[in-house]
Amino acid sequence: MSSKRKKYNYFSNLKYMLKEHWGFDKSYVLLQIGLTPLGALTSVVAAYLPKIVLDCVESKSEISDLLIKVGVMSAVLIVFSYLQGVLQNKSWTGRMLARDILLHRLVCNKVMSMDYNNYTYNETRVLREKAWNAIHGWDGSVARFIELNCTAASSFFGFSAFTAIIVNCNPWFIPILVLCYGISMAGWMIFQKWKDKMKDKVAEIFLRLHYVTYRSKDFSNAKDVRIYNMSDFLMKKIDKHLDDANGWNILRNNGHYINCMLEDVFKFGVSIAAYIYLIHLKLNSDMTLGDFSLYFGAITGFGQWLARLVDSISEIISGAHNVSDFRGFLDIEDKMNKGKGEKLPSGKELPCEIELKNLTFSYDEAEKPSVDNLSLKINKGEKIAIVGVNGAGKSTLVKLICGLFIPKEGQVLINGVDSRLFNRDEYYELFSTLFQDCSLLPATVAKNIALCEENKIDRDRLRECMRLAGILDKVESLPQKENTLLVREVHEGAVAFSGGELQRLLLARALYKDAPIIILDEPTAALDPIAENDMYLKYSELTKDKTAIYISHRLSSTRFCDRIILLDDARIAETGTHE
């Protein structure tokens, strides 16, 4: 994937997140706006409350005046605090919903909709891991970005309010306090820059860790893990990647704690100096007890609001980088045509003719091509077999024909039209495929075959496809027949099929689609000899009026095909018939 990554600035990221949150849950954005002034207002009221009490006592005001003033201020403080608590609780709920629904959905949709070709690149997997970390990161996560900006605005309001109070005492306090906290902020910015520089490396560390941990707990690997005693090997790998991940966490946490410690040292020093100065003023001027209390609280509040502002800005910087990582994955550019394309063959144009012209393809970072300058013409309605040893390029070739891979050089022509001129998703409609690594949906047997809503399934067609695939008797024996649920990890009481039964089910799926080109990649690999022979006998019926490609590594299994193509070392080595 050679295209340059897009760069996003702070305002672009803020606009993007506001748009996404507003479209998902307007109340969350409004809650953040409502919370913005409340914190500052609550702090100002809390700072003035002791001043009012002390001024009333010092001036020997009537007890009724004192109670009224204190009562009003206390009531305001209680209302503000209550509102702040309620809104913060609702805000937290909204943020979790945004993270678990909106952001996860955006990533999942991108994974499923991007060009398959893009998804095979290692760079894409790293970007996906960075996007995932951006959602679940411990600081400045994408889900908190709007909240962080509102927190910064709230901190600025509080900082401004307490600045105005302190200026009345001594304006020189302000530049001294800002300088001290500015040094602390510089430390945080240096730390953040280091973290951003490490992101690609960290994403690769966690990508490897997630892969190994997934393989260790994947049920499909459970037999091999036990029979071949792979647990020690896997645990060593897990321990190694855990050590790498833990090493990164230790470095990050150490940097965080050092910055926190320096910030606390500055805060403590500034507070001590300010308190000494206030005590001096009280002893050598006509400052009232109320003013002394107000300025004393204001200096503390100023430091807290400034520290909060510094922290918020630091987290916003981190959050902006995380939003950029998140958008960087979502904005991976697809190369295939997703706009208006050529009209698909239909009617008398079917079955399709397929022509490969000087086709070359190599995988990401591969030393040599998997398909090398290959040319081949498959006539309309022809049934060909592609055979060759493992690694000869058979599966890669059919993925090129299907439009999953983009050739480095050459063309795939369908009825003389370059496949790249068709709309990508419409082009997929030309193919019914059975790959080696297909998967099931956590749904009914019927829905797994038809891949549409239950009420839209053609039941007669469904039964005919199951009959042709040799799975009808098995499905009929189930308590709920074709309405039986699959995937036990999701549905309690779901049924599990054997390897051969699963392959037949997936063949029924390919037949139900009824596309003009059918591609079967090692369709008998998990079948017993009787079932395999039954498929051979039915092959003409299965592929009637279709252009068919049958992939195998065994020459003996291709006798029912019109022509056999032998691949060797990414090229066509020989062409002929079984005889």
Side-chain angles (χ1 to χ4, degrees):
M1 194 168 67
S2 57
S3 58
K4 291 184 178 179
R5 299 185 197 177
K6 293 183 180 180
K7 293 190 176 181
Y8 313 92
N9 59 42
Y10 162 76
F11 294 103
S12 168
N13 285 335
L14 180 59
K15 181 181 177 181
Y16 172 82
M17 292 308 300
L18 279 170
K19 179 182 176 183
E20 293 297 333
H21 277 289
W22 186 259
F24 176 71
D25 182 8
K26 295 179 179 63
S27 65
Y28 174 76
V29 179
L30 296 174
L31 280 171
Q32 299 309 314
I33 295 172
L35 272 170
T36 299
L38 271 180
L41 289 172
T42 303
S43 292
V44 170
V45 172
Y48 269 95
L49 183 57
K51 169 181 168 55
I52 291 171
V53 173
L54 291 172
D55 281 348
C56 286
V57 171
E58 194 171 26
S59 63
K60 298 180 180 179
S61 299
E62 293 291 333
I63 189 68
S64 58
D65 290 342
L66 174 61
L67 291 175
I68 290 171
K69 290 178 180 179
V70 172
V72 170
M73 293 293 285
S74 298
V76 170
L77 188 61
I78 289 169
V79 170
F80 282 173
S81 298
Y82 174 77
L83 284 174
Q84 192 175 11
V86 170
L87 293 181
Q88 282 177 341
N89 183 59
K90 290 183 177 294
S91 172
W92 182 87
T93 303
R95 187 212 311 162
M96 291 299 102
L97 286 173
R99 186 196 72 182
D100 295 337
I101 299 176
L102 169 66
L103 301 178
H104 283 185
R105 193 175 186 278
L106 287 171
V107 171
C108 291
N109 183 62
K110 181 63 178 180
V111 168
M112 292 186 289
S113 65
M114 70 164 52
D115 286 350
Y116 181 84
N117 196 78
N118 279 340
Y119 200 60
T120 62
Y121 292 123
N122 185 63
E123 183 182 350
T124 299
R125 290 190 282 271
V126 171
L127 289 174
R128 182 197 63 198
E129 189 68 19
K130 288 171 70 175
W132 191 254
N133 290 341
I135 296 174
H136 295 278
W138 73 302
D139 59 347
S141 71
V142 175
R144 293 181 59 219
F145 191 62
I146 301 299
E147 183 180 331
L148 290 171
N149 280 272
C150 290
T151 299
S154 177
S155 301
F156 179 76
F157 291 151
F159 166 75
S160 299
F162 283 97
T163 296
I165 295 172
I166 293 173
V167 163
N168 287 328
C169 176
N170 188 333
W172 284 103
F173 267 132
I174 305 304
I176 293 171
L177 292 171
V178 169
L179 175 64
C180 291
Y181 284 101
I183 294 172
S184 175
M185 182 177 178
W188 282 112
M189 292 180 72
I190 291 170
F191 176 56
Q192 182 57 47
K193 189 174 181 180
W194 171 77
K195 284 198 299 178
D196 292 331
K197 186 178 178 181
M198 296 290 291
K199 274 188 175 180
D200 281 356
K201 183 178 179 181
V202 172
E204 290 183 4
I205 289 172
F206 282 95
L207 186 63
R208 296 188 191 105
L209 176 60
H210 293 161
Y211 175 83
V212 177
T213 52
Y214 170 77
R215 287 300 174 193
S216 68
K217 61 188 179 184
D218 185 7
F219 180 73
S220 63
N221 296 325
K223 298 185 294 293
D224 288 338
V225 167
R226 286 156 178 78
I227 296 297
Y228 293 103
N229 194 23
M230 296 166 65
S231 58
D232 288 341
F233 170 80
L234 286 172
M235 284 309 303
K236 286 178 182 178
K237 284 288 185 181
I238 290 171
D239 288 342
K240 178 187 181 302
H241 296 313
L242 280 173
D243 287 342
D244 291 341
N246 190 48
W248 155 248
N249 287 330
I250 289 171
L251 284 174
R252 181 191 63 185
N253 291 342
N254 286 343
H256 182 79
Y257 293 142
I258 289 170
N259 274 285
C260 285
M261 183 179 67
L262 290 174
E263 183 179 315
D264 289 341
V265 168
F266 278 117
K267 285 163 65 176
F268 179 76
V270 167
S271 298
I272 292 296
Y275 295 157
I276 291 172
Y277 178 74
L278 283 178
I279 292 170
H280 170 75
L281 282 182
K282 175 59 183 169
L283 295 176
N284 296 281
S285 69
D286 58 353
M287 179 185 286
T288 66
L289 283 174
D291 287 340
F292 178 86
S293 172
L294 176 64
Y295 294 141
F296 200 89
I299 289 172
T300 302
F302 179 92
Q304 290 173 345
W305 282 111
L306 186 55
R308 191 177 174 190
L309 181 61
V310 170
D311 290 344
S312 297
I313 293 172
S314 175
E315 286 198 280
I316 286 173
I317 293 170
S318 174
H321 285 292
N322 284 332
V323 175
S324 294
D325 289 339
F326 182 75
R327 294 177 68 188
F329 175 69
L330 297 184
D331 289 345
I332 291 174
E333 185 179 356
D334 288 329
K335 302 296 184 183
M336 295 179 180
N337 178 20
K338 297 175 77 174
K340 185 175 176 58
E342 292 288 328
K343 185 179 177 182
L344 293 179
S346 61
K348 294 181 180 180
E349 297 172 323
L350 300 177
C352 297
E353 176 190 87
I354 304 170
E355 185 175 3
L356 314 179
K357 283 189 174 181
N358 308 115
L359 211 58
T360 298
F361 176 83
S362 56
Y363 287 95
D364 186 28
E365 300 178 358
E367 295 181 358
K368 63 178 185 176
S370 297
V371 174
D372 188 10
N373 196 30
L374 188 148
S375 295
L376 173 67
K377 187 172 183 179
I378 306 172
N379 299 315
K380 291 188 174 202
E382 188 177 15
K383 297 165 179 53
I384 73 160
I386 300 177
V387 298
V389 298
N390 291 335
K394 305 184 298 296
S395 296
T396 302
L397 181 60
V398 297
K399 287 174 183 175
L400 285 163
I401 294 172
C402 289
L404 294 173
F405 286 154
I406 302 173
K408 305 292 183 185
E409 297 176 15
Q411 295 174 292
V412 176
L413 304 176
I414 304 294
N415 288 1
V417 180
D418 192 321
S419 62
R420 287 170 288 198
L421 298 179
F422 295 104
N423 172 276
R424 185 196 72 178
D425 297 327
E426 289 178 359
Y427 182 72
Y428 294 152
E429 294 175 13
L430 294 175
F431 301 92
S432 290
T433 58
L434 173 55
F435 292 117
Q436 296 180 46
D437 51 357
C438 292
S439 58
L440 293 176
L441 296 174
T444 64
V445 170
K447 198 166 184 177
N448 265 281
I449 293 173
L451 296 178
C452 64
E453 295 303 322
E454 300 280 352
N455 59 356
K456 295 181 180 180
I457 296 174
D458 184 333
R459 297 288 165 170
D460 293 335
R461 182 172 156 195
L462 177 72
R463 288 179 61 83
E464 177 61 13
C465 291
M466 290 193 293
R467 181 191 69 78
L468 287 171
I471 193 67
L472 181 60
D473 290 343
K474 170 64 179 178
V475 174
E476 288 290 310
S477 71
L478 300 173
Q480 294 179 288
K481 298 183 171 51
E482 70 268 22
N483 296 316
T484 301
L485 289 167
L486 301 178
V487 185
R488 287 175 173 173
E489 291 84 352
V490 177
H491 295 297
E492 185 177 351
V495 170
F497 283 175
S498 69
E501 291 166 345
L502 175 60
Q503 203 153 27
R504 292 183 183 190
L505 180 73
L506 297 173
L507 176 59
R509 175 190 289 178
L511 296 175
Y512 188 92
K513 187 178 179 182
D514 195 28
I517 302 171
I518 186 166
I519 297 176
L520 305 178
D521 189 354
E522 299 283 4
T524 61
L527 300 182
D528 59 64
I530 296 174
E532 184 177 8
N533 187 64
D534 182 55
M535 174 174 279
Y536 297 157
L537 294 174
K538 289 181 179 178
Y539 189 72
S540 293
E541 188 178 3
L542 295 174
T543 58
K544 183 180 179 181
D545 298 326
K546 301 180 188 304
T547 302
I549 301 173
Y550 184 94
I551 300 173
S552 179
H553 62 275
R554 293 180 296 167
L555 191 62
S556 61
S557 66
T558 60
R559 59 184 181 273
F560 48 83
C561 294
D562 300 326
R563 187 159 48 119
I564 300 171
I565 311 297
L566 174 63
L567 290 188
D568 185 34
D569 197 24
R571 292 172 177 264
I572 296 177
E574 192 174 346
T575 302
T577 64
H578 193 271
E579 286 73 26

